Amino acid sequence: MRPETAAMIIHQKRRGMILPFEQCCITFENITYLVGVPKEMKDQGLADEKLVLLKGVSGAFRPSVLIALMGVSGAGKTTPMDVLAGRKTSGYMEGNIIILGYLKKQETFARTLGYWLDARAAAIVMRTVRNTVDTGRTVVCTIHQPSIDIFGGFDELFLLKRGVQEIYVGPLGHRSCHLVKYFQGIEGVRKIKPRYNPAAWMLDITSPGHEVALGIDFADLYKKSGLYKRNKELIKQLSTPAPGSKDLNFRTRYSKSFFSQLKICLWKQHLSYWRNPKYIAVRFFVTIVISLMFGTMFWDLGSKRAKQQDLLNSMGSMYSAVLFLIQNASSVQPVLTIERTVFYRERAAGMYSALPYALAEVLIEIPYTFQQALTYGVIVYTMMGFELAFIKFFCGSALPALVHQHSMESGTSSWDLKFLLSGAGIIGHVQFPGPCMEWLHHNMEM
């Protein structure tokens, strides 16, 4: 049956509208992932150059089958998910990841992938996940110590031990009967008590301490079982392209055009700023306080123009006032640091490219920066007693504050301040090499 036909049948059975999609099966075989040994471990005497985080992991994820990826604490449940999703940007990976019988292409795969690590309100989330699986999609969840009801909602289990080695990969069955039968068939494993949570029992009997006490290796037992052979055959079967199938392919890397990405990112940043009133309020509060402080310190200084020293004092006061507003603009950097984490996750999912996101970050700051600079300029300019002419106010106070503050926010503040300082008389007459730098220095002094 073709994927489109299956999706139509499911659509007819369920109420509501289901977006069209293509069912995907994912297989991976002998996945090994290595990273460089941290300096702390080398200092403790570890001589190896590479640290193995995944060692020969294999499995198959199929449509309409909800799989639980579980293991004891420290088993490395997140690592295989990160590797399969392409979220690991460092290290070295070996092995094959197959999508619909074809080798995985990360840029294409990212557009079909939805990835999460944990969730609150697990019962509500799993009800939604179960409904998603019933539409024919392929879903894998990492979960830690679920309740009986939540665990019973899964179809299959991918169980790991420490060292990221499989010890059970197969169906759960009604009330986890297949899982219980498999482990109770191992000599020495205690029987599960009536009405006991199978997930808690499973994690308990497969713990490292229990494994040592029994003198067995669950990973070796699994590789000798019929379940392991069944999974190998399934991987081989699903790794072969079906007749008439084709590899995942999109005409463009991103689903939306550049301007659509920019519009969406700009709206996202607008909502982010609108929902963070404390950040905006603090910026304007500090702006008003500093403007009143400088206006009081340099009260009516601009009206004094009788001597050359008066003009130099006016220029110095304007420079100092603008410089302090630039330092106030650095408050945006912690906000950008938090946003950067979200950006890395969303870009890895193929939602948008870096350019429209960066452009949206700049554009969203312009109205706030303009209002901040205007408020600051009006207060300082009038209290200093400069001539009330629009062009003089704009060029002498508002424009420098707007330009230099925005340069601070856009990350160019380092060079901007160096040039500003070199031309404002704070750093004396430095001998600049070459005619171009002399021209720049001359114009900055004007």
Side-chain angles (χ1 to χ4, degrees):
M1 180 182 297
R2 292 184 59 83
E4 295 83 359
T5 306
M8 290 180 62
I9 294 175
I10 295 171
H11 173 70
Q12 294 173 357
K13 291 182 178 180
R14 296 179 56 84
R15 297 181 60 186
M17 183 182 69
I18 300 176
L19 296 176
F21 69 97
E22 184 171 1
Q23 294 180 323
C24 291
C25 56
I26 306 171
T27 63
F28 49 97
E29 189 168 14
N30 297 325
I31 298 296
T32 300
Y33 179 65
L34 306 94
V35 296
V37 177
K39 184 178 181 299
E40 294 78 7
M41 299 183 69
K42 289 184 177 180
D43 294 340
Q44 295 176 2
L46 186 62
D48 297 335
E49 293 295 326
K50 297 291 183 180
L51 184 63
V52 180
L53 298 183
L54 291 180
K55 185 177 180 181
V57 178
S58 303
F61 301 150
R62 293 164 291 159
S64 302
V65 177
L66 182 56
I67 301 175
L69 176 59
M70 298 184 63
V72 297
S73 298
K77 300 180 288 295
T78 303
T79 302
M81 295 285 278
D82 285 340
V83 171
L84 293 177
R87 298 298 173 86
K88 293 295 187 183
T89 57
S90 60
Y92 177 73
M93 191 201 79
E94 297 176 348
N96 295 324
I97 301 176
I98 307 296
I99 311 294
L100 289 173
Y102 301 88
L103 284 174
K104 185 188 82 169
K105 299 175 183 177
Q106 179 57 32
E107 293 182 358
T108 303
F109 182 59
R111 284 184 54 176
T112 66
L113 175 70
Y115 184 52
W116 65 89
L117 297 178
D118 53 67
R120 291 177 295 177
I124 299 176
V125 171
M126 290 309 303
R127 194 179 304 122
T128 304
V129 171
R130 181 71 258 178
N131 293 337
T132 302
V133 173
D134 291 341
T135 64
R137 288 173 169 83
T138 304
V139 180
V140 183
C141 302
T142 57
I143 192 166
H144 184 69
Q145 291 183 339
S147 64
I148 296 179
D149 294 334
I150 292 178
F151 190 62
F154 288 93
D155 300 310
E156 293 191 356
L157 174 67
F158 198 106
L159 183 61
L160 301 173
K161 62 177 285 187
R162 287 187 181 176
V164 199
Q165 300 181 63
E166 311 104 300
I167 57 178
Y168 182 87
V169 180
L172 284 173
H174 180 61
R175 296 184 179 178
S176 305
C177 60
H178 296 314
L179 172 70
V180 173
K181 180 180 179 181
Y182 174 84
F183 281 107
Q184 288 189 158
I186 300 174
E187 185 178 356
V189 174
R190 69 171 185 271
K191 307 297 181 181
I192 186 173
K193 298 178 181 179
R195 295 185 296 277
Y196 197 78
N197 187 351
W201 171 78
M202 168 200 67
L203 293 174
D204 186 27
I205 62 170
T206 59
S207 64
H210 196 75
E211 194 176 36
V212 171
L214 294 176
I216 59 176
D217 188 337
F218 285 112
D220 288 340
L221 292 177
Y222 167 71
K223 290 181 179 179
K224 297 175 182 177
S225 67
L227 193 59
Y228 178 79
K229 297 177 181 178
R230 169 256 188 190
N231 290 330
K232 282 295 184 178
E233 293 176 358
L234 181 62
I235 292 172
K236 183 179 179 180
Q237 177 186 349
L238 297 179
S239 298
T240 304
S245 66
K246 58 181 180 179
D247 194 5
L248 288 174
N249 186 39
F250 299 99
R251 291 179 298 175
T252 59
R253 180 175 179 181
Y254 300 99
S255 59
K256 297 293 184 179
S257 65
F258 173 84
F259 291 103
S260 296
Q261 294 178 47
L262 177 61
K263 180 181 178 181
I264 294 171
C265 289
L266 192 59
W267 178 251
K268 172 178 172 292
Q269 293 303 323
H270 166 68
L271 292 179
S272 177
Y273 273 57
W274 184 255
R275 294 167 180 171
N276 191 7
K278 291 183 179 180
Y279 163 65
I280 304 298
V282 168
R283 283 179 60 174
F284 277 88
F285 175 77
V286 174
T287 297
I288 294 174
V289 170
I290 294 179
S291 62
L292 291 175
M293 181 184 69
F294 272 95
T296 303
M297 292 171 58
F298 302 116
W299 178 262
D300 204 30
L301 193 64
S303 63
K304 301 175 183 179
R305 297 187 290 270
K307 298 183 293 184
Q308 181 182 16
Q309 186 60 45
D310 294 334
L311 295 178
L312 293 176
N313 291 340
S314 298
M315 294 173 60
S317 65
M318 293 174 62
Y319 163 76
S320 301
V322 172
L323 181 63
F324 269 81
L325 184 59
I326 295 175
Q327 299 302 325
N328 180 32
S330 62
S331 62
V332 75
Q333 294 177 353
V335 177
L336 294 180
T337 301
I338 298 174
E339 284 285 336
R340 183 172 56 188
T341 304
V342 179
F343 164 70
Y344 286 153
R345 183 177 69 246
E346 294 179 344
R347 187 182 65 169
M351 297 178 65
Y352 47 75
S353 63
L355 183 57
Y357 176 84
L359 190 56
E361 286 280 6
V362 174
L363 293 177
I364 197 61
E365 274 288 334
I366 290 179
Y368 295 97
T369 302
F370 178 79
Q371 295 177 44
Q372 188 178 1
L374 184 63
T375 302
Y376 186 85
V378 168
I379 296 175
V380 172
Y381 191 88
T382 53
M383 292 183 69
M384 286 186 179
F386 291 109
E387 184 178 348
L388 296 178
F390 175 77
I391 188 65
K392 293 183 178 180
F393 162 74
F394 184 75
C395 295
S397 179
L399 182 61
L402 176 63
V403 172
H404 293 306
Q405 177 179 246
H406 203 66
S407 69
M408 166 68 83
E409 294 170 351
S410 62
T412 59
S413 58
S414 178
W415 284 103
D416 179 75
L417 284 177
K418 289 176 183 176
F419 284 124
L420 185 64
L421 289 172
S422 66
I426 303 303
I427 300 178
H429 291 273
V430 181
Q431 295 296 326
F432 285 83
C436 292
M437 297 302 292
E438 290 179 3
W439 173 84
L440 177 62
H441 189 255
H442 173 72
N443 279 274
M444 293 181 69
E445 286 184 314
M446 293 181 62

